[in-house]
Amino acid sequence: MERNGRAASRVPTFAPTLADVAERAGVSRQTVSNAVNNPDLLRPDTLARVQEAIADLGYVPNRAARNLRTRASHLVGLRLSPVQEGTANAAMDRFVHSLVWTSREAGYHVLLFSGEGPDPLEGYEDLLRSTAVDAFVVTDTFLGNPQAAWLRERRAPFVAFGRPWDDADARHPWVDVDGAAGTELATRHLLEKGHTRIAWIGWRKDSFIGEDRRAGWTRAVREHGLSTTGMASRVEDTVWSGREASAVLLDEARPTAFVCASDTLAMGVLHTLAERGLHPGRDIAVVGFDDSQVAQVVHPGLTSVRQPLEEVAIAVVRALEDLLATPSYVGEGLLLAPALTVRGSS
Amino acid sequence: MERNGRAASRVPTFAPTLADVAERAGVSRQTVSNAVNNPDLLRPDTLARVQEAIADLGYVPNRAARNLRTRASHLVGLRLSPVQEGTANAAMDRFVHSLVWTSREAGYHVLLFSGEGPDPLEGYEDLLRSTAVDAFVVTDTFLGNPQAAWLRERRAPFVAFGRPWDDADARHPWVDVDGAAGTELATRHLLEKGHTRIAWIGWRKDSFIGEDRRAGWTRAVREHGLSTTGMASRVEDTVWSGREASAVLLDEARPTAFVCASDTLAMGVLHTLAERGLHPGRDIAVVGFDDSQVAQVVHPGLTSVRQPLEEVAIAVVRALEDLLATPSYVGEGLLLAPALTVRGSS
DNA sequence: CTCCCGCCTTGGATCGATCCAGAGGAGGCC
DNA sequence: GGCCTCCTCTGGATCGATCCAAGGCGGGAG
């Protein structure tokens, strides 16, 4: 049953098929398929014979054929949000790594795609309809999560990294990091160091994540009987904004410490300190959020809230597996606790 | 020809097939296929009718079926190298974004995978044999490029981001950035500013990229009749190494400026300056390499060599297209020139 | 010894799109 | 009018793995 005599040559240019293996092992195609997918259905000696043939020929199942028949691609789609240069957001990078790593162990690969513009739904449609991916991992939840409703309506399996902020009874699996717990951790850390005037620099009010992180600061500060009045500022997530905001706060509220909603903003604070000849960690304490590369390499080290992205990835993949095994699966929603990486700035 | 009466319901849960479209438009399957892939083969009115049916049903070709038949997946594999925390390498991140973006326009998607350990070949094999990807983009060329020979031997199509340093007559398409030109640019910039004692901090000698970047510094310095003796240091790519090296150089060679092989090393220099109360840009000039996020957000801004990663991605994808159109295609090798982003540190 | 039950194994059908060879129809030329 | 060419469109076969229903075989019970 050689095709064009190709089996005669030993060049592994042509991939052997399941039929080739079957012929070589002297069994049927189905038996080979079982040897690969349900080994325990075969008698041990048959299994051994088939496996030997597989090894001899270097057989690897053809993905396209398998995908066609099983209606699954074993790919999960992840949309890369537009890059924002000038910010310190390395969180996405770390998450992608973790996700790729974890998916691999679960037998999945990660397919990256990007939207044309700011429309968060861009790109999902085609992949979904063409059955290119089995599921999505959704991450852009800075301002709520419009994708969730959209995907749900189309019965597309997905797991969100980020809570369904704007929809209390959303019924889809999600994993998130407790931002408030993170900033609370950070604020407590500063309180323990003796600071009593701790300022907050966060994001615009319509960011759910931003308000959540702010809540942690508020909670910790109030718990210690301190006031938050005049101690907070809400700005865009840029270094420049962080610099401006911290300058104003320093002049008007005289804080001795800053808790920021991001490392980017914290870097802005460091700028202000440098300009004024103040030393971070000695004169003024600063804490960021994300534990980005920037926090790790800047002098004298930026204390920062670190999200457990590896755990998030693991939880996401686990939910993905459940979801694909049981289409009706509705996750519980998992909230993970971040940690605080203390460095020179506090 | 309705299956299980499903076509009767309007729920788009089941994807319509090419046969469904054909039936609705009153033509054959092949005609629909042509309407999608070779529209100019159809008579205008037929084409219009088919397209209408496609729109009505919301038909999108099934990827798995197409892949099986055409023996192409329209996916390119990209291996994520292990993360190195504590370094400022954001170059990969930017490149991935650019690649995803550019690929999309060429009709390709990017499949991420990761190797178990440090073995750079890990992971390629399976994807290749299972025909999961059409080609690879290879990037880990810090120390030569063992993947190239391996992939070539298996006739796997790939394009490298990085020169085939260790194999002068390697015959595969590649794109790279002229690192030497970048450091030369950086060094000239410092020379123009009046610096005459410019030090180099680079990587260990067995890194081809490191030696290339060093060459640019050497060239520019010597061209100005200055000596490089005692002005260079080769260390690991960590902040700590950069700090140590710069401290030693400052004491022994008294440079007024540093050119570094990476932003990570440059950050190390900034640490030393901060410790000694020296101001980057005013007392000592510092230039990094990669124009990472760190360079952008640190105070007072780190001058850095910026790789044209967007252009690299475009060139890579173009080579990929040529390669897949003509399997025997042998690229020319394309060397792109980097730019210098000047900031406060110089 | 025969029959029945399970465990393996088998060959045909199938997933959905594309390749291929050829049919059908309109138009041009002699 | 007959014949040929060109253009459009058609139906069967195919890619390679898996699903399905049924066949073969061995062992135990009767």
Side-chain angles (χ1 to χ4, degrees):
Chain A
M1 232 242 210
E2 295 186 1
R3 302 203 292 279
N4 310 330
R6 69 169 179 63
S9 92
R10 278 300 151 116
V11 181
T13 304
F14 293 98
T17 73
L18 187 134
D20 296 331
V21 176
E23 193 198 8
R24 183 179 181 106
V27 297
S28 73
R29 301 189 321 271
Q30 178 64 34
T31 303
V32 177
S33 179
N34 283 337
V36 174
N37 301 309
N38 302 83
D40 47 326
L41 287 182
L42 300 199
R43 218 168 35 202
D45 60 325
T46 312
L47 179 59
R49 207 168 68 238
V50 175
Q51 286 176 333
E52 194 187 318
I54 288 177
D56 283 355
L57 296 172
Y59 168 75
V60 176
N62 179 303
R63 218 110 161 176
R66 173 178 283 180
N67 291 350
L68 173 60
R69 184 67 236 216
T70 62
R71 302 171 165 284
S73 64
H74 285 271
L75 292 180
V76 296
L78 178 68
R79 180 176 189 272
L80 280 189
S81 37
V83 220
Q84 294 201 327
E85 290 238 33
T87 67
N89 182 13
M92 192 59 185
D93 195 33
R94 245 180 79 213
F95 177 64
V96 172
H97 265 86
S98 302
L99 187 66
V100 169
W101 182 263
T102 315
S103 302
R104 201 181 71 93
E105 299 185 337
Y108 284 86
H109 281 288
V110 174
L111 175 72
L112 293 185
F113 64 102
S114 65
E116 184 88 53
D119 177 9
L121 301 182
E122 177 82 34
Y124 283 100
E125 178 98 45
D126 280 350
L127 291 174
L128 183 57
R129 322 270 329 222
S130 66
T131 62
V133 301
D134 291 347
F136 292 100
V137 172
V138 176
T139 59
D140 300 312
T141 56
F142 183 77
L143 302 172
N145 192 344
Q147 307 95 313
W150 188 89
L151 289 170
R152 189 144 192 82
E153 191 183 324
R154 280 163 185 68
R155 299 170 190 284
F158 73 99
V159 176
F161 173 14
R163 273 162 278 186
W165 297 102
D166 43 358
D167 183 5
D169 35 56
R171 301 209 144 275
H172 67 255
W174 57 263
V175 180
D176 202 358
V177 174
D178 191 340
T183 47
E184 193 173 345
L185 214 56
T187 310
R188 274 188 211 290
H189 161 69
L190 294 171
L191 288 165
E192 279 166 19
K193 291 270 177 186
H195 293 275
T196 55
R197 302 189 63 75
I198 304 174
W200 168 259
I201 300 180
W203 295 326
R204 38 197 264 225
K205 206 162 187 170
D206 58 352
S207 163
F208 292 102
I209 299 180
E211 289 305 284
D212 181 46
R213 293 185 183 175
R214 187 177 194 278
W217 165 77
T218 309
R219 204 155 61 206
V221 166
R222 295 221 175 118
E223 227 167 53
H224 275 245
L226 302 170
S227 164
T228 58
T229 314
M231 280 299 211
S233 183
R234 277 188 268 234
V235 297
E236 290 295 308
D237 188 37
T238 65
V239 175
W240 191 87
S241 300
R243 194 172 80 183
E244 294 295 300
S246 57
V248 172
L249 282 166
L250 274 177
D251 290 339
E252 299 181 352
R254 309 221 154 273
T256 61
F258 286 91
V259 178
C260 304
S262 74
D263 282 350
T264 305
L265 291 173
M267 286 305 295
V269 177
L270 294 189
H271 278 230
T272 297
L273 298 187
E275 279 160 12
R276 302 191 174 194
L278 296 171
H279 288 252
R282 203 184 67 193
D283 306 325
I284 301 276
V286 184
V287 181
F289 202 112
D290 265 354
D291 200 20
S292 60
Q293 293 175 327
V294 175
Q296 300 173 25
V297 305
V298 76
H299 183 85
L302 175 63
T303 295
S304 191
V305 176
R306 184 180 176 88
Q307 303 198 49
L309 299 181
E310 294 75 14
E311 292 173 44
V312 171
I314 291 172
V316 164
V317 171
R318 192 173 302 145
L320 225 36
E321 290 184 281
D322 289 342
L323 188 62
L324 293 173
T326 318
S328 62
Y329 175 80
V330 176
E332 308 233 309
L334 183 61
L335 207 52
L336 298 173
L340 187 69
T341 306
V342 178
R343 296 203 180 82
S345 71
S346 65
Chain B
M1 233 241 214
E2 295 186 359
R3 302 201 293 279
N4 309 329
R6 70 170 177 61
S9 92
R10 278 300 151 116
V11 181
T13 304
F14 292 96
T17 72
L18 187 134
D20 295 331
V21 176
E23 193 197 9
R24 183 178 182 106
V27 297
S28 72
R29 301 189 321 273
Q30 179 62 39
T31 302
V32 178
S33 179
N34 283 335
V36 174
N37 302 308
N38 303 82
D40 47 325
L41 286 183
L42 301 199
R43 215 166 40 200
D45 61 325
T46 313
L47 179 59
R49 208 168 67 238
V50 174
Q51 286 177 331
E52 195 188 318
I54 289 178
D56 284 354
L57 295 173
Y59 167 75
V60 176
N62 180 304
R63 216 108 161 178
R66 174 178 282 181
N67 291 351
L68 173 59
R69 184 67 237 217
T70 62
R71 300 171 168 285
S73 65
H74 286 270
L75 292 180
V76 295
L78 177 68
R79 180 176 188 273
L80 281 189
S81 37
V83 221
Q84 295 202 328
E85 291 237 33
T87 67
N89 182 14
M92 191 60 183
D93 195 33
R94 247 180 77 214
F95 177 64
V96 172
H97 265 86
S98 302
L99 187 67
V100 169
W101 182 263
T102 315
S103 302
R104 201 181 70 91
E105 300 185 337
Y108 284 86
H109 282 287
V110 174
L111 174 73
L112 292 184
F113 65 104
S114 66
E116 183 88 54
D119 177 8
L121 302 182
E122 178 82 34
Y124 283 100
E125 178 97 46
D126 280 350
L127 290 174
L128 183 58
R129 320 275 323 228
S130 66
T131 61
V133 301
D134 291 348
F136 291 101
V137 173
V138 175
T139 59
D140 299 312
T141 56
F142 183 75
L143 301 171
N145 192 344
Q147 306 95 313
W150 188 87
L151 289 170
R152 188 143 193 84
E153 190 183 324
R154 280 162 185 69
R155 300 170 190 283
F158 73 99
V159 176
F161 173 14
R163 275 162 276 185
W165 298 101
D166 43 357
D167 184 4
D169 35 55
R171 301 208 145 274
H172 66 255
W174 56 263
V175 181
D176 203 358
V177 174
D178 192 341
T183 47
E184 192 173 347
L185 213 57
T187 311
R188 275 189 211 290
H189 162 68
L190 294 170
L191 287 164
E192 280 166 18
K193 291 270 176 184
H195 293 276
T196 55
R197 302 190 61 76
I198 303 173
W200 168 257
I201 301 181
W203 295 328
R204 37 197 265 227
K205 206 161 187 171
D206 57 353
S207 162
F208 292 103
I209 299 181
E211 290 304 284
D212 181 45
R213 294 185 183 174
R214 188 178 194 278
W217 165 76
T218 309
R219 204 156 59 207
V221 167
R222 295 222 175 115
E223 227 167 53
H224 275 246
L226 302 170
S227 165
T228 59
T229 314
M231 280 297 210
S233 184
R234 278 188 268 233
V235 297
E236 290 296 308
D237 188 38
T238 67
V239 175
W240 190 87
S241 300
R243 193 171 80 181
E244 294 295 300
S246 57
V248 171
L249 281 167
L250 276 176
D251 290 339
E252 298 181 353
R254 310 219 154 272
T256 61
F258 286 91
V259 177
C260 303
S262 74
D263 282 349
T264 305
L265 292 174
M267 286 306 295
V269 177
L270 293 189
H271 278 230
T272 297
L273 298 187
E275 279 160 11
R276 302 192 173 193
L278 296 171
H279 287 252
R282 202 184 68 192
D283 306 324
I284 301 278
V286 184
V287 181
F289 201 111
D290 265 353
D291 200 21
S292 60
Q293 293 174 328
V294 175
Q296 299 172 26
V297 304
V298 76
H299 182 85
L302 174 63
T303 296
S304 191
V305 176
R306 184 181 176 87
Q307 303 197 50
L309 299 180
E310 293 76 14
E311 292 172 45
V312 171
I314 291 172
V316 164
V317 171
R318 192 173 301 144
L320 225 36
E321 290 183 282
D322 290 341
L323 187 63
L324 292 173
T326 318
S328 63
Y329 175 80
V330 175
E332 307 233 310
L334 182 62
L335 207 52
L336 298 173
L340 188 70
T341 306
V342 178
R343 297 202 181 81
S345 72
S346 65

